[in-house]
Amino acid sequence: MMSAFLKQLQTPDRVLCALAVLITVALQVQVTVGANATYTGLRISLADFILPFAGVYIAGSLLMKRSIWPAWRTPYMWWGLLALLAVLTLSLFQGYHTNGFWAPWALLNKYSGFYVLVAYCALGGWLASNVRDQQKLFQYIMNACCIFFGLVVLVSFGAILYYALGYEIPSLGIYPWDGFMTNRNSFAFMGLMVLLFWENNKGDHALSFWWYALFLTLLPALAFFNASRTAWIVGAVILSLSCFRKPLKETLRKSLFILLGITLLNGTLYLKKTEHFDHKGEEFSKLIDVIENPMNPPYDGDQKRLIALEDGLELYQNSSPFLGGGLGSFRPFQIEKRGEFIDIIDFTALWILTEMGLVGLIAFAGFFLMCLRQIYKARESDFHRAFFFFMLAFAFMSCLHELTYMRFVWFFLGIAMVSLAPPNKGSYPLGQ
């Protein structure tokens, strides 16, 4: 199946399809650089190393009139992105006014990082606008995402099984799959995207059901070791709704593979008692603590979130209701209040309201709803239908986590916001 998938790239659109597949895979691997005692570090995707070269290539093709600008489904897409950048710029200056200095976290991670997100959105829109066969591009992206994520989970489960048999565990198997999608919640978030891609993958080049069967078999292990409770809820809703849309025979087949996965997971845990899974990985140790004492686990994650909620609302109450405290104002406020920095604001809406005020909240919510409306109109496409439900999941998870800066969201958003039919103007030399 893999060789057939790669062979299909020998098409007139091979350059664009190959670039889209490369970006899709690279977006699923991230590293953190520059972290120290006072700075959480800069999170960089492997795709970030490709982005500058792709930007130069695209700029040259646009200047030479060999390609066209993204043909958005709405004429307000560029204005929406510019509005978000304007709000962030205003918030950055508001943060300097509040704190008297430029916070590194605000300047590098949030402000400069948002330009990277806009670049990914534009890249996705450019790819979908300049390819001749958009449906084929959609299928390649969905398949590449599913195959790579499935292989990561397969290797990770193998590493855990390897350790359960009494051998030293490779770093890949350490909870929560460090190095992929930065942290466990964002990794689980990527898993929801893959789940929706598989549920809606029905095109001519769709993956075999056996790929999906493998994913379903490993799903219980992924859910257990990843331990993202929000993803558990959203994933259960997705699977439950899919049962109503699919024939009973297919639902029973899915259930059998999930039961097989539960059996494999239980067998793996039985090979070694849970305490033998304890490892130097801090997150893995916390998971074991929760398993051993489920009624009163020594887990401080929820307490930190409640502290962030309390401090965030207090900071907003003491700031401008329209502009908030400004980018980077939460950390110094919390240090001044508590004598130490406890945790970042882990809720998208609360973070925007606290540091960008009502202006920022309205701008981001308006842009999200505009995109959601246009994607819903294009739901005849497998990709658009999957991404529409993913955006709903994104809205739900953002109430409990901060996922705005996940790069793959913006790359896929750029693709989804392009019309299904190529525009009448412009040429497509890359697809010839």
Side-chain angles (χ1 to χ4, degrees):
M1 184 65 191
M2 180 72 76
S3 60
F5 169 62
L6 295 175
K7 185 178 180 181
Q8 288 294 330
L9 290 180
Q10 303 301 317
T11 67
D13 287 333
R14 60 185 178 276
V15 175
L16 297 180
C17 290
L19 179 59
V21 168
L22 182 62
I23 294 292
T24 299
V25 171
L27 281 171
Q28 299 184 61
V29 184
Q30 295 190 14
V31 294
T32 302
V33 297
N36 54 48
T38 59
Y39 178 51
T40 57
L42 188 63
R43 293 173 178 174
I44 297 179
S45 167
L46 288 186
D48 293 349
F49 297 101
I50 305 172
L51 192 61
F53 299 100
V56 172
Y57 181 77
I58 293 171
S61 70
L62 290 171
L63 290 173
M64 297 173 64
K65 297 183 179 180
R66 292 176 56 84
S67 66
I68 62 171
W69 288 84
W72 306 117
R73 295 185 63 85
T74 169
Y76 305 110
M77 185 65 178
W78 285 119
W79 290 109
L81 291 171
L82 287 174
L84 297 183
L85 286 171
V87 168
L88 279 165
T89 302
L90 181 63
S91 181
L92 186 67
F93 281 95
Q94 174 72 358
Y96 181 81
H97 173 74
T98 301
N99 304 312
F101 59 89
W102 303 104
W105 177 83
L107 187 60
L108 295 176
N109 287 56
K110 292 302 179 183
Y111 187 71
S112 300
F114 197 79
Y115 281 91
V116 176
L117 301 182
V118 173
Y120 276 114
C121 186
L123 173 59
W126 180 85
L127 283 170
S129 298
N130 286 277
V131 72
R132 284 188 179 277
D133 190 344
Q134 290 184 347
Q135 294 288 3
K136 184 178 292 185
L137 176 69
F138 297 156
Q139 286 296 331
Y140 285 143
I141 291 172
M142 294 168 74
N143 290 353
C145 189
C146 292
I147 290 174
F148 182 78
F149 187 89
L151 289 176
V152 170
V153 176
L154 178 62
V155 173
S156 299
F157 182 74
I160 294 169
L161 180 61
Y162 181 77
Y163 181 65
L165 293 173
Y167 302 97
E168 181 65 22
I169 185 170
S171 60
L172 182 62
I174 299 175
Y175 169 87
W177 285 273
D178 289 336
F180 292 93
M181 301 312 302
T182 307
N183 59 60
R184 64 187 179 94
N185 287 305
S186 54
F187 185 79
F189 189 48
M190 186 74 219
L192 294 177
M193 180 78 263
V194 171
L195 180 61
L196 285 166
F197 273 171
W198 253 313
E199 282 291 323
N200 293 276
N201 207 339
K202 305 184 184 69
D204 295 336
H205 305 285
L207 289 174
S208 159
F209 176 80
W210 293 107
W211 278 96
Y212 192 26
L214 177 63
F215 177 74
L216 292 175
T217 303
L218 297 174
L219 191 60
L222 172 63
F224 177 79
F225 287 103
N226 183 265
S228 175
R229 293 163 295 178
T230 312
W232 291 350
I233 297 173
V234 179
V237 171
I238 292 173
L239 287 173
S240 299
L241 292 177
S242 69
C243 293
F244 292 101
R245 299 192 302 116
K246 301 294 177 63
L248 179 61
K249 181 179 178 181
E250 185 173 340
T251 300
L252 291 176
R253 283 197 298 173
K254 288 181 182 179
S255 302
L256 288 175
F257 286 113
I258 293 177
L259 289 174
L260 174 61
I262 294 174
T263 303
L264 289 174
L265 175 62
N266 289 332
T268 302
L269 296 177
Y270 180 76
L271 289 173
K272 289 283 185 178
K273 293 182 179 180
T274 53
E275 60 264 22
H276 292 163
F277 275 96
D278 196 6
H279 194 267
K280 62 182 179 181
E282 178 184 357
E283 295 286 358
F284 197 89
S285 300
K286 289 181 179 179
L287 175 64
I288 301 304
D289 291 337
V290 173
I291 295 172
E292 293 179 344
N293 191 7
M295 301 305 297
N296 187 26
Y299 176 62
D300 59 353
D302 292 336
Q303 184 62 31
K304 287 182 177 180
R305 288 186 173 94
L306 292 174
I307 291 174
L309 176 63
E310 175 188 335
D311 293 350
L313 292 175
E314 183 177 343
L315 173 60
Y316 176 71
Q317 190 176 24
N318 298 336
S319 306
S320 166
F322 296 102
L323 300 179
L327 277 184
S329 59
F330 178 73
R331 181 188 178 99
F333 173 81
Q334 192 173 71
I335 292 176
E336 181 181 356
K337 176 183 177 180
R338 299 183 181 273
E340 62 177 330
F341 178 59
I342 307 297
D343 198 16
I344 62 173
I345 300 179
D346 205 16
F347 314 91
T348 297
L350 179 62
W351 164 63
I352 294 176
L353 180 66
T354 299
E355 297 198 342
M356 286 180 261
L358 288 174
V359 173
L361 192 62
I362 293 173
F364 275 87
F367 179 80
F368 173 84
L369 292 174
M370 177 192 71
C371 293
L372 194 66
R373 180 173 179 269
Q374 295 299 326
I375 295 169
Y376 177 78
K377 290 182 178 180
R379 63 189 182 280
E380 65 271 14
S381 157
D382 291 348
F383 178 85
H384 285 81
R385 184 167 52 253
F387 195 69
F388 172 77
F389 289 110
F390 175 74
M391 291 289 279
L392 294 180
F394 170 74
F396 177 79
M397 289 194 69
S398 292
C399 295
L400 301 172
H401 304 288
E402 212 302 279
L403 300 168
T404 309
Y405 282 72
M406 294 294 99
R407 288 159 171 78
F408 73 90
V409 175
W410 293 86
F411 179 65
F412 293 153
L413 178 64
I415 295 172
M417 287 299 291
V418 168
S419 303
L420 286 175
N424 295 324
K425 60 181 180 178
S427 58
Y428 302 83
L430 296 178
Q432 294 177 354

